[in-house]
Amino acid sequence: MMKMHNPTRLRLLFVVAVIIPCLVLGVIAVRSIDREEAFVAMQLQRTFDAELVYTVSVINTELDRIMEELAGSAPAEVPASPGPSFTAWRSRSELVRVPFLLSPKLEIVWPALGADLTEDDRAFLNWNREFVTDKALVPVYQNVALVYKDEISKLAGTPFDRKDLAAEAQEKAEPAGGAKPPGERVVPVAAAPASREAKSRMNEAAVEQRALSQIEKDPDVRQQVLDQARAKGQRTEPRNVAPSTRFSPAKQPAPQESIYISEPRRFSEITAQGDRGLIPRFIDEKLSLLFWQRRPAGGFLGCVISDDAFRGRLAGLLPNVYTPSRILTILDEAGRPLLAPDAEEKRDWRRPFAAREISGKLPRWEVAAYLTDPDAVAARAGTTTTILWVLIVLIFLTIAGGGLSILQTIRSEMQLVRQKTTFVANVSHELKTPLTSIRMFAEMLKQGRQPDRAKQDKYLDLMVSETERLTRLINNVLDFSRAERGERKYEKRRLDAAWLTESLIEGQRVRLEHNGFAVSFRNDLGEAFIDGDEEALKQAVLNLLSNAEKYSGEDKRVDVEVSGTEGSVLINVKDRGRGVPPGDSKRIFEEFYRVDDAITAKAGGSGLGLPIALRIVRDHGGDIHYFPRDGGGSVFQIRLPLRGPS
Ligand code: ADP
């Protein structure tokens, strides 16, 4: 406690113990609130993403299956006039729309120009003649991660080590049951049959997998490889959608680039890579899929796939499209959903919560997930944020408020300690002064140095008056400690307040006049009966009188007036001193409080006179007020309730 007397130290303590922890808490809290929404969004995105990955893989499997189905249903033998067998093919598979046949020299055998051509045949020839006869090029789409896997490996910072990846891939290939008895030779299962070629294929697959995931999680790497692709003349294009994980659709997210880059190729180049395949072509911005298959006898057989049948097949693959939390659908090349609940007509399909491109065979197509009710999710996140904010503000206020009130308590305790110390010093001084004069007069009388009888009487009066001053001081201190302990008792009886005041003034007059004071007393009321303890009330008035004496300046006069209002008697003690500064007029009634000025310091005192007087008067149902006196000085007014008529 004593150490804390230094206010700077106290302030420092407050800053260290309250302000800094509060600020740290605030910063942590604000940051975690900021992350709250992002965290919820991330969780949702992960869930959706897993579904999207699954759907993409299902679609890709379906594409393979469609190819197999078409190859399986295609006529094995094609006669010189293939019309009827192609009609039969079309009736076997709803996916077949326009069959075609190419000679080994890439001449169009069917649709035969001479035969009567259907609308579809004509459209096929119109759009594809140049391409299938190897005269025109069409863009072929490829995943940039696969084309640039080695560059991605370098850009990733830690280049993918093919050896590690091979080991990893091998581990995956091994059957479960790694816990073999120690010492037993472990023969890697995959190693035995795996030829050198199979091994390197496995390595490549692992590298491709790494490249795919790297490009997905690192937008910088993706941007860099796309830039590289562009620099090499490969074409990049924007995606149809701009996925955004923000709940509130405040800002349109920046459109992303597709990870499928394209390069123009000839039919012969495309078909050189295998025995069958699918070629996507954009005709009037509409996707058209060409199926082709190499014939054992040379040349190619194929068809334009029926758009409706194809879309129907994919739509049938989708898991539950509409759930209370999300809508999952496939978007076509125009960004329109293949399947959408009726109620969702107005939805902005270009802004999914999460989306994935499907394949180079289906360029511009995506699987996309949307929040069914983004507002509800945003509102939920908003409520959590609000609750967190309220909690933070509450905690903050509690800590700060608690800290401040502790500081306040420490301060007032410190002030009290200081006041008590000053009080002891003041009281000792106050005791000493009257004792000194009593002793002086008593010695003079004892030594018989004053033969004048009248003077002797005056000395005796002064001694009595000084003794009274001593008594008053001691009474004040005793009363204070008694009142502090709640032990003060009053003996109340019927009293004339005017008489009580007058007799008190007359008792003090000699001493006051001896000290150069002009004393006046006026009674406007005559008799003023109250219920009161005579000694206590005398003490209260005496304290005011003594203050008037102590704090008077040059103009030494004390005027006491007794007047009345309805039901009350007013005792005004007035002086022509320097008055009480406005800021102190309430505080002077507090225990130990003394105005901080030169006159008060010189006058000496305990800071108990007014609080004790106030307590006594209040215990009698009255009050004391201070007013500045007109023309300078103070008026201390005691108001006491008059006794009822009984
Ligand atoms: P004390 O007189 O022992 O200091 P009090 O409680 O009686 O204690 O008074 C409190 C303070 O009020 C004094 O220290 C003084 O500054 C101020 N005060 C009281 N009476 C007067 C007065 N009549 N004129 C000017 N100041 C006064």
Side-chain angles (χ1 to χ4, degrees):
M1 183 76 201
M2 291 311 284
K3 277 190 175 169
M4 285 185 197
H5 275 191
N6 185 345
T8 327
R9 219 192 192 125
L10 201 65
R11 249 175 252 139
L12 204 72
L13 189 77
F14 185 68
V15 169
V16 171
V18 180
I19 303 286
I20 292 180
C22 259
L23 287 179
V24 172
L25 183 85
V27 170
I28 293 174
V30 170
R31 289 187 62 150
S32 57
I33 285 180
D34 269 358
R35 284 186 190 160
E36 178 68 16
E37 190 179 313
F39 181 72
V40 174
M42 203 176 72
Q43 294 290 92
L44 266 178
Q45 198 193 20
R46 279 203 184 139
T47 320
F48 289 1
D49 233 24
E51 263 195 303
L52 294 180
V53 167
Y54 169 74
T55 314
V56 164
S57 81
V58 167
I59 294 174
N60 278 315
T61 314
E62 187 67 8
L63 287 176
D64 289 343
R65 196 177 296 144
I66 284 173
M67 274 195 288
E68 269 173 28
E69 219 177 284
L70 285 169
S73 61
E77 291 296 318
V78 189
S81 161
S85 56
F86 277 156
T87 314
W89 187 20
R90 242 200 328 248
S91 64
R92 274 199 299 279
S93 172
E94 55 162 9
L95 288 164
V96 181
R97 181 151 180 197
V98 192
F100 64 87
L101 186 68
L102 304 175
S103 74
K105 286 185 172 167
L106 297 184
E107 291 147 348
I108 300 176
V109 180
W110 188 268
L113 273 172
D116 54 23
L117 296 173
T118 62
E119 187 87 348
D120 278 352
D121 291 338
R122 248 182 247 120
F124 170 79
L125 290 174
N126 198 13
W127 291 111
N128 294 308
R129 186 190 288 127
E130 301 282 288
F131 167 55
V132 293
T133 55
D134 229 16
K135 291 190 188 91
L137 296 93
V138 297
V140 169
Y141 293 84
Q142 275 176 294
N143 193 321
V144 74
L146 303 183
V147 182
Y148 289 92
K149 53 179 182 286
D150 293 325
E151 283 77 358
I152 294 173
S153 159
K154 275 185 223 128
L155 285 171
T158 50
F160 312 149
D161 184 337
R162 284 187 149 75
K163 259 188 239 149
D164 285 356
L165 293 172
E168 204 175 279
Q170 199 164 306
E171 223 161 74
K172 274 187 199 153
E174 262 180 54
K180 301 214 169 74
E184 192 181 313
R185 244 190 84 201
V186 180
V187 183
V189 179
S195 64
R196 194 174 273 262
E197 195 186 319
K199 244 186 189 170
S200 90
R201 258 208 314 276
M202 210 147 67
N203 283 351
E204 281 317 304
V207 171
E208 283 174 3
Q209 205 48 52
R210 281 276 174 104
L212 284 168
S213 68
Q214 188 68 34
I215 209 171
E216 196 162 303
K217 67 173 186 241
D218 193 337
D220 287 345
V221 169
R222 185 177 58 198
Q223 199 50 52
Q224 289 183 41
V225 289
L226 284 171
D227 290 346
Q228 280 188 27
R230 262 194 297 271
K232 284 195 185 155
Q234 284 153 330
R235 246 189 73 147
T236 56
E237 53 181 79
R239 287 170 71 175
N240 279 332
V241 296
S244 160
T245 50
R246 291 208 74 85
F247 298 131
S248 35
K251 229 172 60 190
Q252 177 77 31
Q256 275 184 10
E257 271 183 307
S258 165
I259 53 164
Y260 289 95
I261 53 172
S262 63
E263 243 178 328
R265 290 272 163 79
R266 282 179 201 289
F267 186 74
S268 56
E269 288 174 299
I270 300 171
T271 51
Q273 284 157 11
D275 289 337
R276 67 170 79 119
L278 284 176
I279 302 172
R281 294 212 51 203
F282 285 104
I283 291 169
D284 270 353
E285 291 301 303
K286 258 189 79 62
L287 183 79
S288 162
L289 283 175
L290 280 187
F291 165 72
W292 60 269
Q293 187 180 20
R294 190 185 298 280
R295 297 192 62 210
F300 294 91
L301 173 146
C303 69
V304 175
I305 294 178
S306 152
D307 194 39
D308 290 346
F310 177 73
R311 284 171 180 253
R313 285 282 285 265
L314 291 201
L317 292 175
L318 279 177
N320 199 0
V321 171
Y322 193 94
T323 72
S325 66
R326 62 109 184 94
I327 296 168
L328 190 136
T329 191
I330 301 174
L331 302 175
D332 66 11
E333 67 277 9
R336 294 290 313 162
L338 250 52
L339 260 190
D342 290 343
E344 294 296 328
E345 267 171 12
K346 286 210 195 81
R347 188 177 282 275
D348 181 359
W349 295 103
R350 285 164 308 154
R351 301 194 51 191
F353 190 76
R356 255 173 188 274
E357 295 179 89
I358 300 173
S359 148
K361 292 187 195 112
L362 280 178
R364 300 186 199 165
W365 281 43
E366 307 229 4
V367 282
Y370 303 80
L371 292 175
T372 306
D373 189 353
D375 292 344
V377 183
R380 250 198 327 271
T383 315
T384 319
T385 312
T386 315
I387 291 174
L388 280 176
W389 268 116
V390 169
L391 282 180
I392 287 168
V393 170
L394 275 182
I395 292 174
F396 205 78
L397 285 181
T398 315
I399 296 178
L404 268 181
S405 81
I406 289 174
L407 192 73
Q408 204 63 40
T409 316
I410 294 176
R411 262 215 194 127
S412 55
E413 284 294 319
M414 273 166 51
Q415 197 180 2
L416 206 65
V417 168
R418 259 201 306 275
Q419 283 173 339
K420 280 187 178 167
T421 319
T422 329
F423 164 75
V424 173
N426 286 346
V427 168
S428 319
H429 177 79
E430 285 284 274
L431 288 174
K432 217 173 143 194
T433 321
L435 271 180
T436 315
S437 37
I438 293 170
R439 187 172 168 185
M440 187 186 79
F441 290 124
E443 274 175 359
M444 266 165 57
L445 290 175
K446 190 181 165 200
Q447 288 163 5
R449 274 199 272 156
Q450 187 49 269
D452 186 347
R453 181 75 203 157
K455 284 241 170 102
Q456 281 179 5
D457 280 351
K458 197 169 176 187
Y459 287 173
L460 285 170
D461 279 345
L462 284 171
M463 283 167 71
V464 170
S465 154
E466 287 297 275
T467 319
E468 276 172 358
R469 198 171 137 196
L470 265 182
T471 316
R472 196 176 65 247
L473 180 72
I474 290 162
N475 276 348
N476 273 346
V477 175
L478 287 178
D479 279 354
F480 171 71
S481 61
R482 242 184 269 145
E484 281 265 283
R485 295 195 300 268
E487 285 174 2
R488 173 135 204 185
K489 298 262 179 326
Y490 297 101
E491 283 174 25
K492 290 186 187 168
R493 57 181 182 83
R494 188 168 177 268
L495 266 183
D496 179 356
W499 165 82
L500 178 136
T501 314
E502 186 172 4
S503 61
L504 193 78
I505 302 300
E506 293 316 321
Q508 293 295 312
R509 187 182 286 277
V510 182
R511 191 178 58 80
L512 285 168
E513 285 177 351
H514 173 78
N515 290 339
F517 276 86
V519 182
S520 79
F521 174 77
R522 208 175 83 201
N523 180 1
D524 295 340
L525 209 60
E527 287 175 333
F529 285 105
I530 58 167
D531 270 330
D533 181 313
E534 185 177 339
E535 281 314 307
L537 287 174
K538 268 190 174 166
Q539 191 185 352
V541 180
L542 212 54
N543 284 356
L544 300 190
L545 209 60
S546 145
N547 280 350
E549 181 189 355
K550 276 200 295 188
Y551 304 112
S552 278
E554 295 298 300
D555 194 356
K556 296 186 168 192
R557 51 177 310 118
V558 182
D559 303 305
V560 180
E561 293 162 13
V562 175
S563 60
T565 60
E566 204 178 322
S568 299
V569 53
L570 302 177
I571 303 165
N572 292 311
V573 180
K574 305 176 173 181
D575 62 51
R576 285 281 177 211
R578 57 97 171 96
V580 177
D584 290 317
S585 61
K586 288 267 177 309
R587 300 204 63 189
I588 50 173
F589 292 98
E590 289 172 13
E591 280 145 9
F592 305 119
Y593 188 82
R594 307 195 73 221
V595 175
D596 190 8
D597 65 13
I599 298 180
T600 304
K602 210 175 99 204
S606 58
L608 285 178
L610 287 177
I612 286 176
L614 182 67
R615 188 173 302 187
I616 292 171
V617 173
R618 285 204 173 144
D619 287 345
H620 282 79
D623 215 340
I624 305 185
H625 288 288
Y626 162 79
F627 306 101
R629 188 179 183 181
D630 285 345
S634 313
V635 179
F636 282 87
Q637 182 178 73
I638 296 178
R639 186 189 56 76
L640 285 166
L642 284 172
R643 198 172 194 255
S646 61

